[in-house]
């Protein structure tokens, strides 16, 4: 049964944010995996093969851009939809994220948890058509 | 009746014609015989020497007159007799003796003299004498003087302008419409790395290699070319420039065309300024805003996120007794984040106040050791939770002028940091002592320590132990900036001693109240 559910990986170092999104995504019947560091996030991405990854930028030791680079370099995760969830809204950040291969860049504070969750539908749904 | 023509004809012969010509010569001419008697003299002599001269006068009288009317120029080494004798006896010629009148208006006369042979009209024999020419050169001398003065003034003006040109803060250079550099001041030398000799006569684009964020500015795209083509000034343009040895720096430049009478561009004047420092400040400000925004959004996202979920009923009905604990838990989270937001706003305001120099301190006489003890008592609870031994050892009297709230803020912050970086079972010791008219306070922990290379930057904004804002996990990195600001506003100093694995000591000193009692 767990195999039917869509797998979402949350890579976010801020514990309370992680809890918030995990709560909402679980309510919406997604199978939620979490990681609080970039390193851990990569490991989970390659072992658990999620259907979509939400990725934060500001994280200790390895930031989101580095994680994204490595995700795209690896054949297992080069095509998985990655949505950057960050509170930086600078043009340079957005451009960098998209140019490194992110599918979308969301500024966290401008979206409700519901809107974030709906993004999973947008990106994972397409693949199955 | 004699007609005009016949009058001329009548004078065609003889001395009358010659006399008239002789008198029309503007130079005064006198022919003396060897004894100094005047043989011939023309009317101009009278014009030059203002007093009446009778026709039959001798040299001495004329020169006597000369002595009356003229003082001798410094170059006139000889007196009149010497000159005369040298001409008669030594057959010497003089051509450039200048004499100046004693009376005003000043008159300058150029005197030339030469030996002269003639037939003595009295005796009919051949005689020797001296022929003197007197030329009124007053006007000429005055003109010369004026020109000299003008030239001097012009030279002085030019030197003054040159001095200004070479001493201004801005680089100023000019090019012709052919974009060859004509003028190049000292500041341009400093900014470009090229000397005046190298730059003048050289093509503009060779000396000033410009680019903006899209790439190199080719000549077609550069502002100076636009000025030449459109005849309009470019009041301000920012771009990067490379020096002779390849170093890049930001430049603010203004370009102004100078037009000739027909309205064509004759030259272009450019003023450039190194704005690297301004750019740095600008960038620092942008970064601060970026980081501050990010920090503020994080707790806001959590607060609004949970509120949205609760209020839209996604987490059940509010008031549903089965959800009571769950909802209470979430509301607590919201509360916690709200407090976090509040303290962040306080920090940002503190930073702003410190930067603007507007932080208001309420100075009073306080004993530092008393403040330390209060803070230690307040923070013991936190220390105990981590099994850390927090204690103080304070010697000496410590009366200072300080804002007690702010000093307590400093102490709280420093102990907080120590708690963060010290593991279970560690120690934090606050030591205090008097030395050198200051009270020294040291916060010494047995924690993980800080790598030496990171220490110089720790008091800057957003600086944290890992050295990179993107990679840090807790806090804003503003605490130490604020602490330093407060200590320095008290006239004190703060510094850190630490190394990886060696624990950390943060120390500050405050000036003691001068003991007058």
């Amino acid at each position: 049964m767990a195999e039917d559910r869509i797998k979402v990986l949350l890579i976010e170092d801020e514990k309370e944010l992680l809890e918030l999104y995990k709560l909402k995504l679980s309510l919406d019947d997604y199978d939620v995996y979490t990681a609080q560091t970039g390193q851990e996030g990569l490991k989970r991405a390659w072992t658990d093969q999620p259907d979509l990854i939400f990725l934060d930028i500001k994280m200790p030791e390895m930031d989101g851009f580095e994680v994204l680079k490595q995700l795209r370099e690896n054949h297992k995760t080069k095509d998985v939809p990655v949505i950057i969830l960050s509170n930086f809204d600078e043009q340079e950040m957005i451009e960098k994220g998209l140019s490194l291969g992110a599918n979308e860049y969301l500024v966290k504070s401008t979206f409700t948890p519901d809107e974030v969750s709906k993004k999973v539908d947008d990106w994972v749904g397409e693949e199955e058509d | 009746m004699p007609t005009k023509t016949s009058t001329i004809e009548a004078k065609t012969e003889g001395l009358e014609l010659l006399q008239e010509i002789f008198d029309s010569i503007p130079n005064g001419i006198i022919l003396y015989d060897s004894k100094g008697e005047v043989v011939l003299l023309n009317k101009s002599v009278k014009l030059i020497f203002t007093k009446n001269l009778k026709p039959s006068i001798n040299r001495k009288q004329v020169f006597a007159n000369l002595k009356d009317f003229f003082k001798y120029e410094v170059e006139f080494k000889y007196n009149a007799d010497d000159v005369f004798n040298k001409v008669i006896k030594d057959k010497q010629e003089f051509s450039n003796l200048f004499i100046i009148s004693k009376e005003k208006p000043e008159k300058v006369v150029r005197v030339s003299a030469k030996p002269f042979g003639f037939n003595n009209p009295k005796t009919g024999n051949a005689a020797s004498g001296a022929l003197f020419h007197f030329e009124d050169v007053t006007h000429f001398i005055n003109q010369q003087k004026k020109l000299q003065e003008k030239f001097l003034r012009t030279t002085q003006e030019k030197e003054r302008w040159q001095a200004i040109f070479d001493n201004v803060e801005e680089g100023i250079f000019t090019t012709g419409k052919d974009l060859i550099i004509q003028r190049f001041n000292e500041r341009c030398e400093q900014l470009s790395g090229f000397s005046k000799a190298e730059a003048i006569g050289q093509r503009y684009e060779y000396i000033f290699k410009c680019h903006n964020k899209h790439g190199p500015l080719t000549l077609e795209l550069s502002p100076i070319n636009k000025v030449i083509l459109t005849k309009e000034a470019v009041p301000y343009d920012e771009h990067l420039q490379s020096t002779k040895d390849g170093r890049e720096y930001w430049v603010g430049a203004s370009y102004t065309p100078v037009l000739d009478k027909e309205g064509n561009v004759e030259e272009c004047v450019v003023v450039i300024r190194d704005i690297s420092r301004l750019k740095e400040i600008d960038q620092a400000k942008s970064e601060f805003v970026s980081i501050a925004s990010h920090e503020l959004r994080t707790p806001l996202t959590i607060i609004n996120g949970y509120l949205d979920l609760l209020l839209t009923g996604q987490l059940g009905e509010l008031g549903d007794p089965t959800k009571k604990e769950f909802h209470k838990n979430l509301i607590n989270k919201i509360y916690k984040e709200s407090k976090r937001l509040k303290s962040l706003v306080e920090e940002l305001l503190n930073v702003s106040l410190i930067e603007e120099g507007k932080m208001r301190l309420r100075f009073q006489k306080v004993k530092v050791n008393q403040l330390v003890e209060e803070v230690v008592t307040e923070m013991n609870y936190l220390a105990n939770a981590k099994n850390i031994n927090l204690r103080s050892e304070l010697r000496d009297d410590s009366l200072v002028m300080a804002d007690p709230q702010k000093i307590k803020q400093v102490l709280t912050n420093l102990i907080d940091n120590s708690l963060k970086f010290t593991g279970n079972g560690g120690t934090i010791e606050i030591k205090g002592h008097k030395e050198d008219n200051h009270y020294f306070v040291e916060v010494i922990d047995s924690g993980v320590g800080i790598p030496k290379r990171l220490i110089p930057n720790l008091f800057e904004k957003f600086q944290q132990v890992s050295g990179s804002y993107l990679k840090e996990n807790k806090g804003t990195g503003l605490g130490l900036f604020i602490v330093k600001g407060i200590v320095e506003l008290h006239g004190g100093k703060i510094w850190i001693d630490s190394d990886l694995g060696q624990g950390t000591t943060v120390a500050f000193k405050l000036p003691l109240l001068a003991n007058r009692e």
Side-chain angles (χ1 to χ4, degrees), chain B residues 421-480:
Chain B
F421 289 99
T422 304
N424 272 329
T427 54
I428 300 174
E429 199 177 1
I430 324 283
K431 283 190 172 162
H433 73 278
K434 178 171 96 170
E435 187 188 317
D436 203 21
N437 280 324
H438 285 80
Y439 196 76
F440 284 71
V441 176
E442 291 165 290
V443 178
I444 307 165
D445 68 51
S446 63
V448 293
I450 304 162
K452 267 213 170 10
R453 63 188 169 81
L454 294 175
I455 294 177
N457 295 324
L458 284 175
F459 290 109
E460 286 167 30
K461 282 176 277 187
F462 303 124
Q463 285 303 324
Q464 295 190 19
V465 174
S466 69
S468 159
Y469 176 70
L470 271 187
K471 297 190 199 304
E472 192 48 57
N473 56 350
K474 269 187 168 63
T476 55
L478 294 171
L480 283 177

Side-chain angles (χ1 to χ4, degrees), chain B residues 2 41 78 89 102 116 123 142 153 170 198 203 216-217 222 229 243 252 254 282 284 352 357-358 389 431 457 468:
Chain B
L41 121 95
Y78 318 97
K89 293 193 176 113
K102 282 181 192 154
F116 200 74
T123 62
N142 282 343
R153 270 200 312 273
E170 286 79 4
E198 288 173 300
R203 285 204 60 80
L217 277 177
S222 75
L229 291 175
T243 62
S254 69
D282 236 10
S352 182
K358 291 191 179 135
N389 187 359
K431 283 190 172 162
N457 295 324
S468 159

Side-chain angles (χ1 to χ4, degrees), chain B residues 96-108:
Chain B
N96 271 318
L97 302 174
F98 288 90
I99 52 180
I100 301 176
S101 65
K102 282 181 192 154
E103 290 171 356
K104 296 264 184 263
E106 211 173 66
K107 209 174 206 180
V108 183

Side-chain angles (χ1 to χ4, degrees), chain B residues 478-492:
Chain B
L478 294 171
L480 283 177
F481 176 83
I482 295 169
V483 158
K484 177 169 184 260
I486 293 172
V487 167
E488 287 178 355
L489 282 171
H490 280 83

Side-chain angles (χ1 to χ4, degrees), chain A residues 14 16-17 19-21 24 27 58-61 63 66 87-90 108-109 112-114, chain B residues 290 294-295 297-298 301-302 305-306 308-309 314-315 326 333 336-337 340 469-473:
Chain A
E14 183 72 43
E16 291 299 343
L17 280 171
E19 295 286 314
L20 172 69
Y21 290 122
K24 174 57 184 168
L27 279 175
K58 182 178 178 283
M59 290 189 294
E61 276 160 44
D63 68 42
E66 289 178 35
N87 268 326
F88 284 117
D89 71 345
E90 283 74 26
K108 276 181 270 218
S109 58
T112 64
D114 204 42
Chain B
S290 170
H294 181 278
E295 288 300 299
R297 288 190 187 114
T298 303
T301 308
I302 298 165
Y306 281 122
D308 177 85
L309 289 175
Q314 291 178 65
L315 299 174
F326 178 50
K333 279 191 205 266
K336 201 175 100 189
E337 288 304 311
R340 177 178 160 190
Y469 176 70
L470 271 187
K471 297 190 199 304
E472 192 48 57
N473 56 350

Side-chain angles (χ1 to χ4, degrees), chain A residues 73-109:
Chain A
E73 281 165 8
N74 187 300
H75 71 276
K76 285 190 221 168
T77 50
K78 71 175 172 59
D79 292 321
V80 65
V82 175
I83 298 180
I84 291 179
L85 265 184
S86 168
N87 268 326
F88 284 117
D89 71 345
E90 283 74 26
Q91 198 59 31
E92 298 87 70
M93 294 291 205
I94 298 172
E95 281 173 11
K96 189 173 178 184
L98 294 174
S99 72
L100 285 172
N103 296 74
E104 210 174 335
Y105 187 115
L106 304 177
V107 178
K108 276 181 270 218
S109 58

Side-chain angles (χ1 to χ4, degrees), chain B residues 223 226-227 232-238 252-257 269-271:
Chain B
K226 182 170 169 212
V227 170
E232 276 169 23
V234 171
Y236 189 69
D237 182 74
E238 284 182 8
S254 69
Y255 305 80
T256 314
V269 180
V270 185
V271 180

